[in-house]
Amino acid sequence: MSLPLFDTEPQPAQPLAEGAVLLRGWAARQDAAWIATVRQVLAQQPLQAAFTAGGRPMSVRTSNCGEWGWAAAGLRGYGYTRSDPLSGRPWPAMPTFLQQQAQALAAQAGYPGFDPDVCLINAYAVGARMGLHHDADERDKAAPIVSVSLGLPCHFVWGGLQRSDPVRSLRLEHGDVLVWGGASRMVFHGVRPLPAGQHHLLGAERWNLTFRMAQRPYRG
DNA sequence: TAGTATCT
DNA sequence: ACAT
């Protein structure tokens, strides 16, 4: 993968835990391209309200692109589907820019061969949050998760392999990329209620893109 | 248990 | 603890 990630030198990668790497600002240099590309996806697959397995509303709104998508509306519960259960239409294809950036970022974090079949887009308005959970619906737990933050900063909660483990909180800002896999793959995590603010490109919103391998086997 | 309510 |  030779696609340039930067036009200048990036901040060094920071290890967060075993298998987890924080790439601070690594999506900021090309943020206009990230945002324009996501807007193209949202024009085809608008953000929708999401619901927990118990039928309770979540505060984030979601969209997807890729062969698969994480559906959290119109199902009993949630899970990966090939099409939007509400519209019946297949999820839009993952734009090449997103696919290649996710591959390159994963490789940079020590996960060569990552080839996502899902990009889940979570949009946080002020006050939106995400409770402590782990990403458990993917078939091959050897594949990492690549998370890209855009827009307003948030307080990300990073726990352990058990829900009851102590958590730490770290601020994720526009352009930050967090990659977790290996021993950290099943770590519980979440997002505290989004503080009010204004971002010059996204206004009073945070977008989080998570690239996953939901159904493909991972050969690192 | 990707959420909330309701206990201690 | 609930309800999925």
Side-chain angles (χ1 to χ4, degrees), chain A residues 2-217:
Chain A
S2 59
L3 193 78
L5 286 164
F6 290 96
D7 50 21
T8 63
E9 280 304 304
Q11 296 298 307
Q14 300 174 35
L16 176 69
E18 190 181 339
V21 176
L22 178 56
L23 302 169
R24 278 241 184 252
W26 282 49
R29 298 289 179 180
Q30 297 183 241
D31 57 0
W34 280 96
I35 289 169
T37 306
V38 172
R39 287 200 196 283
Q40 287 172 10
V41 171
L42 297 182
Q44 300 173 256
Q45 180 62 229
L47 292 166
Q48 298 169 342
F51 300 87
T52 67
R56 277 146 179 216
M58 297 172 66
S59 52
V60 297
R61 295 194 304 152
T62 68
S63 178
N64 288 278
C65 59
E67 289 177 27
W68 295 82
W70 192 79
L75 294 177
R76 271 194 299 273
Y78 48 70
Y80 289 106
T81 62
R82 284 197 179 276
S83 55
D84 175 6
L86 294 182
S87 71
R89 299 177 61 242
W91 304 110
M94 193 183 304
T96 305
F97 176 80
L98 297 183
Q99 185 95 29
Q100 293 185 339
Q101 291 288 318
Q103 290 172 356
L105 290 163
Q108 211 36 248
Y111 296 98
F114 180 73
D115 189 25
D117 52 12
V118 176
C119 172
L120 169 63
I121 302 162
N122 283 150
Y124 292 74
V126 171
R129 58 199 171 87
M130 181 76 71
L132 206 61
H133 69 284
H134 52 188
D135 298 2
D137 296 336
E138 300 74 26
R139 203 179 121 257
D140 188 349
K141 305 296 194 296
I145 305 287
V146 175
S147 168
V148 176
S149 294
L150 296 169
L152 285 183
C154 76
H155 298 285
F156 187 80
V157 177
W158 178 263
L161 295 179
Q162 307 202 112
R163 183 178 289 277
S164 55
D165 286 340
V167 300
R168 58 179 284 201
S169 181
L170 66 148
R171 181 183 172 88
L172 291 182
E173 297 183 355
H174 177 74
D176 288 351
V177 178
L178 184 57
V179 181
W180 67 94
S184 292
R185 175 58 179 77
M186 296 300 287
V187 156
F188 279 87
H189 58 278
V191 176
R192 290 176 19 198
L194 191 74
Q198 196 69 25
H199 186 268
H200 67 106
L201 295 175
L202 285 188
E205 265 201 329
R206 170 177 185 257
W207 288 354
N208 179 68
L209 314 181
T210 49
F211 296 90
R212 303 120 182 273
M213 293 179 72
Q215 299 293 334
R216 292 177 185 159

